[in-house]
Amino acid sequence: MKQLILIRYGELGLKGKNKNKFIERLVENIDGACNDIAGFSVRSTWGRIWVEVDAAAYPQAVARLRRVFGIYSLSPVVSVPRDMQAIQQAAYEVLRKCLPQGGGFKVETRRADKTFPMTSPEISRAVANDLFHRLDDNYWADMHDPPFTLQIEIRGEGNFVYGETVHGAGGLPVGCGGKAALMLSGGIDSPVAGWMALKRGVSVEGIHFYSFPFTGEQSKQKVMDLAHILAGWQGAPFTLHVVHFTEIQKAIHQFCREDYGITLMRRMMFRLAERIAKQNRCLALYTGESVGQVASQTLESMSVINEVTNMPVLRPLIGMDKEEIMAIAKKIGTYDTSILPYEDCCTIFLPKYPKIRPRLQEAKEMEQALDIEALLAEALAKTETLTIE
Ligand code: ATP
Ligand code: MG
């Protein structure tokens, strides 16, 4: 037996060519997420996307579809012949399944096939009458604020009865918004920032700065585990660039004033990220920064750090509190990995009193002691690119 699933997508603001590209991409991504499921097929007709799977594989299909961005909601649908008795029988079965204990409900009909001999209100009324005839007093009509709506659709290509609606991840299909580079640490914030990029349809490659031997194999593995989780949301392998950052950190520590350590380190990170992004045709950088969270995230710090790049730096968590970010991390499955103990390159050579309001002029003067080009070239030469499934 097969189970048909109706996929709804947000089409607000989508027109003409854009809309077709959006739908094609969504169908491709659904196919990528589900094509190993038994009996799977997907097609789009008349502004709808339909998925079909073997009935036994329905829960597995729903779990996968809930991670595909661009899907707002989905419903398991019963397909019936063009016949009132069959529609009424299906309506009864769907209602009993969705509301086994009873409750208030409403029947709603949409009739696109105008050759069907009854109007939409007539169909709704006939189905409701038949239901009340069969059901006990635990069921009642609720026309104003129904907790449950039974939907009937009479369309040229088929006739459908459904009720249950499962929420999707929303957003836009991954890949329809170009590609960006995510600065991915092992912390809580940056994986959430990456997820938010994906949610808006932007594909992501990760850049991780790694200070071996100060930060060990385990902290690298942790970032790879986070990349694996993001690959699941991306619906495609995740490219991770691991940049060897040790020499840069040592040079800053050795030649520059301690309180500017973080500012200068982060300026180097942005320089490297911009170059790697450009080499890989990424159009923007994403970070997990949020105003005021730490010394390097004051407006003064961010503006001095940002000065080294002309690329757009997108910070989707900018206005969020840590609690809100943690709630998303839990929801998307990165939290448990992010809180594992680890050393980040940011936590070594940590100044006792980091400069909270650095000045650009001072930062530039201190950088005179560094051979920036040579340091960048060496770090780039040692960058390792991994593909994480
Ligand atoms: P996170 O939880 O994402 O690590 P954080 O609150 O610890 O964030 P910072 O350490 O100041 O904040 O880092 C701010 C942002 O800089 C991170 O969200 C991330 O985008 C980037 N970043 C920090 N460390 C690294 C790193 N080792 N590799 C790549 N990006 C990094
Ligand atoms: Mg961090």
Side-chain angles (χ1 to χ4, degrees):
M1 224 175 53
K2 291 276 192 184
Q3 176 66 59
L4 189 63
I5 304 168
L6 168 63
I7 308 280
R8 296 183 199 82
Y9 46 82
E11 38 188 326
L12 235 57
L14 285 171
K15 290 189 204 83
K17 246 188 174 165
N18 276 345
K19 185 170 165 176
N20 291 339
K21 266 171 68 184
F22 170 99
I23 294 168
E24 275 168 33
R25 175 64 72 160
L26 183 54
V27 168
E28 246 175 67
N29 292 358
I30 289 171
D31 185 66
C34 299
N35 60 22
D36 60 335
I37 294 180
F40 168 81
S41 67
V42 57
R43 70 198 144 89
S44 84
T45 50
W46 311 108
R48 295 286 182 78
I49 295 178
W50 298 97
V51 165
E52 202 170 48
V53 292
D54 286 356
Y58 173 71
Q60 187 192 13
V62 171
R64 301 269 188 92
L65 291 167
R66 290 192 69 188
R67 292 165 69 93
V68 175
F69 289 116
I71 297 180
Y72 276 67
S73 68
L74 56 91
S75 294
V77 169
V78 181
S79 178
V80 289
R82 196 173 179 274
D83 162 73
M84 268 315 274
Q85 253 188 350
I87 292 170
Q88 284 167 338
Q89 180 59 28
Y92 175 74
E93 284 164 17
V94 169
L95 188 72
R96 287 303 304 261
K97 188 158 168 237
C98 295
L99 278 186
Q101 316 288 342
F105 72 94
K106 176 182 175 181
V107 180
E108 225 171 60
T109 304
R110 258 163 295 171
R111 184 184 60 135
D113 172 9
K114 300 296 179 200
T115 65
F116 194 82
M118 294 162 80
T119 65
S120 297
E122 282 169 357
I123 298 167
S124 296
R125 222 172 301 128
V127 170
N129 284 340
D130 177 69
L131 285 170
F132 286 119
H133 194 67
R134 301 203 210 184
L135 296 165
D136 58 25
D137 293 348
N138 292 325
Y139 293 86
W140 63 90
D142 184 344
M143 306 308 278
H144 301 294
D145 188 17
F148 183 78
T149 303
L150 188 80
Q151 310 269 358
I152 296 169
E153 293 196 17
I154 311 292
R155 304 174 75 91
E157 75 269 22
N159 311 292
F160 308 108
V161 179
Y162 55 93
E164 184 191 353
T165 298
V166 179
H167 284 290
L172 301 171
V174 174
C176 70
K179 188 168 69 169
L182 166 69
M183 293 167 70
L184 181 61
S185 71
I188 293 171
D189 305 333
S190 46
V192 173
W195 180 83
M196 289 179 90
L198 295 170
K199 179 165 186 269
R200 296 304 300 165
V202 174
S203 322
V204 165
E205 291 193 6
I207 300 176
H208 178 64
F209 300 97
Y210 178 59
S211 288
F212 190 79
F214 301 109
T215 59
E217 238 354 92
Q218 258 174 320
S219 68
K220 182 170 156 191
Q221 184 57 49
K222 181 181 179 186
V223 175
M224 289 166 64
D225 292 346
L226 291 168
H228 168 72
I229 298 169
L230 290 174
W233 285 103
Q234 176 154 258
F238 189 95
T239 303
L240 179 65
H241 306 276
V242 180
V243 185
H244 287 256
F245 203 55
T246 319
E247 298 312 317
I248 290 177
Q249 285 196 287
K250 279 192 193 159
I252 292 172
H253 185 64
Q254 191 175 350
F255 298 115
C256 305
R257 227 169 71 192
E258 194 202 2
D259 59 341
Y260 266 74
I262 290 184
T263 310
L264 299 178
M265 183 186 83
R266 296 190 63 76
R267 279 168 65 89
M268 292 302 269
M269 282 186 178
F270 274 73
R271 288 184 177 107
L272 287 164
E274 182 191 77
R275 291 185 191 200
I276 293 169
K278 284 189 174 156
Q279 280 167 8
N280 293 282
R281 296 188 305 281
C282 296
L283 297 174
L285 301 176
Y286 272 78
T287 78
E289 292 163 301
S290 140
V291 172
Q293 201 188 69
V294 287
S296 63
Q297 294 172 28
T298 61
L299 292 184
E300 290 86 348
S301 283
M302 284 200 278
S303 74
V304 172
I305 292 162
N306 214 148
E307 191 265 344
V308 299
T309 177
N310 285 323
M311 238 187 188
V313 179
L314 306 180
R315 302 173 170 93
L317 313 186
I318 200 71
M320 288 192 185
D321 300 337
K322 197 77 187 184
E323 301 286 314
E324 294 171 288
I325 300 169
M326 279 161 56
I328 300 176
K330 287 177 187 165
K331 191 179 82 177
I332 67 174
T334 54
Y335 184 78
D336 291 340
T337 304
S338 286
I339 59 169
L340 295 172
Y342 82 114
E343 283 281 306
D344 183 52
C345 67
C346 293
T347 56
I348 61 171
F349 301 132
L350 201 64
K352 227 189 235 139
Y353 301 105
K355 195 84 179 160
I356 292 170
R357 300 184 204 293
R359 290 180 39 224
L360 181 59
Q361 199 47 43
E362 278 193 301
K364 284 185 164 173
E365 279 163 24
M366 279 174 239
E367 281 176 347
Q368 309 247 311
L370 304 173
D371 186 347
I372 291 183
E373 274 312 313
L375 287 168
L376 294 177
E378 189 194 354
L380 288 173
K382 285 191 190 162
T383 295
E384 179 190 4
T385 297
L386 310 170
T387 301
I388 296 173
E389 305 265 344

